[in-house]
Amino acid sequence: MTLIRPTPEAADANEPLRRAGTGRAVAVLVLVALGALIPLLGPSAALRGTGEAAAPGDGGIALLRTVLVAALCVPVGELFVNRLARSVPGAPPAPPRSWAPYAAGAGFLAALGLASVVSTGNLVPDSLSDLDVGGLYATRDGKLALLEVNAFAAAGLCALSRRPGTQLWPLAAVVVAEALRAHPPTEHSPMIGSGLTLVHLTCAALWAGGLLHVLRSLRGGTPSGAALLGLYARVAAVLLAAITATGVCSSLRRMPSGTILDQLTTTAYGRVLLAKVLLVAAVAALALWARIRLRRAADPLTACSPARVEVAALGVVVAVSGLLTALPVPIRW
């Protein structure tokens, strides 16, 4: 048995790749850290000067909501893109390593943290003795929180099984639970609101998670990569239209057209919503730029550059969305 050591030339050739991989990992960690600051520090900034009261632990709750939504986007995007890849001629038979088990673990912990808050009457528990797990079964919010905890646990087990596609069903249960939680029965026409949120959240998860997985699938630079990116871009245009339509309708339900301009600057919810709208507009511009490159550039895969920036911007949108769920809903004047 002989040991083969790499020659100095081979070692020098691999060094730039190692440095590039390390740089990307550091960049991702920095972006995640900065993204976590948005839900943690955002409530105090958004509420300043509005006269609205902050909910207990709003920063922590916003961070948990952000993690939960991100954990939903990753596996949904993987399932979506893997299905698209089947219709692309010459697509690589082996997709990149799945991040779904890790996402399910993060979603489980986030849902568990949110359930603990619900068990104490939407107060941040100081100790384990403050938790009333049995009381979760007695309230609607408690049951929905438990459903999300169990759904993420089931999604993780499905992702590790021989049939990872079955995680679609527990992930769908999380989307339904989030849509119902966002619109309590005391709200005006709650089922309409839940339906809008259901479509909005589903399309957002497909868009953000799908783009992330497409870029991961293109690392090998295969000839079918451009075809896969182009197919995703066509579907993403429809998803963006659905996200825009449902977002506008949901905003008008909570802020009537006669007061929306005023509330966009005088309420915390309106301010964060305005920031989200501007971010989504920037993401749409990046998506358009990537699509133009995809169609006109000599190398269509140069569209990956604006697409990577688009993924980072979508991560910020997810963080802002998590912050939005922790702020007081504006009063219908």
Side-chain angles (χ1 to χ4, degrees):
M1 180 177 180
T2 59
L3 297 177
I4 301 176
R5 295 183 180 180
T7 62
E9 292 79 4
D12 293 340
N14 291 332
E15 189 65 25
L17 295 177
R18 292 177 181 175
R19 290 179 180 176
T22 303
R24 288 175 183 173
V26 172
V28 169
L29 291 176
V30 171
L31 288 174
V32 170
L34 293 176
L37 293 178
I38 295 175
L40 279 176
L41 305 179
S44 58
L47 289 165
R48 186 177 295 123
T50 63
E52 298 171 300
D58 49 5
I61 292 174
L63 179 60
L64 291 174
R65 289 278 172 212
T66 300
V67 174
L68 189 146
V69 174
L72 180 67
C73 291
V74 171
V76 168
E78 287 187 3
L79 294 172
F80 170 51
V81 173
N82 289 341
R83 187 171 183 84
L84 286 180
R86 296 173 191 169
S87 60
V88 176
R97 184 177 180 181
S98 176
W99 287 355
Y102 307 106
F108 175 81
L109 293 176
L112 198 61
L114 291 169
S116 68
V117 174
V118 175
S119 70
T120 59
N122 291 325
L123 299 174
V124 179
D126 295 327
S127 63
L128 292 177
S129 60
D130 295 336
L131 302 180
D132 181 16
V133 179
L136 289 173
Y137 295 93
T139 64
R140 177 179 182 269
D141 286 346
K143 293 175 182 177
L144 292 175
L146 284 175
L147 176 60
E148 292 184 354
V149 172
N150 294 328
F152 271 115
L157 294 175
C158 292
L160 293 171
S161 69
R162 295 182 179 180
R163 301 184 64 183
T166 54
Q167 62 184 309
L168 174 64
W169 304 109
L171 293 173
V174 174
V175 176
V176 172
E178 276 295 291
L180 293 174
R181 179 205 58 80
H183 301 277
T186 54
E187 182 182 282
H188 176 68
S189 59
M191 294 309 297
I192 295 178
S194 294
L196 291 171
T197 301
L198 181 69
V199 176
H200 189 83
L201 183 56
T202 300
C203 293
L206 291 171
W207 184 19
L211 181 57
L212 175 63
H213 195 61
V214 165
L215 292 177
R216 291 184 63 221
S217 302
L218 298 183
R219 284 187 177 180
T222 58
S224 61
L228 178 60
L229 185 58
L231 180 59
Y232 165 80
R234 289 192 291 273
V235 180
V238 179
L239 295 175
L240 176 59
I243 290 170
T244 303
T246 53
V248 170
C249 292
S250 296
S251 300
L252 290 177
R253 290 185 71 254
R254 288 186 166 174
M255 293 186 292
S257 56
T259 64
I260 190 169
L261 293 179
D262 189 28
Q263 294 201 48
L264 282 176
T265 55
T266 59
T267 65
Y269 187 93
R271 291 173 178 177
V272 176
L273 179 62
L274 179 60
K276 181 180 177 180
V277 169
L278 295 176
L279 283 170
V280 172
V283 171
L286 288 168
L288 179 61
W289 180 19
R291 187 160 187 176
I292 292 174
R293 276 197 175 189
L294 188 64
R295 299 178 66 178
R296 299 181 181 178
D299 181 7
L301 290 181
T302 57
C304 291
S305 297
R308 291 190 186 99
V309 182
E310 182 185 348
V311 165
L314 283 172
V316 178
V317 172
V318 171
V320 172
S321 299
L323 171 60
L324 200 63
T325 63
L327 294 173
V329 177
I331 302 173
R332 289 180 62 90
W333 292 344

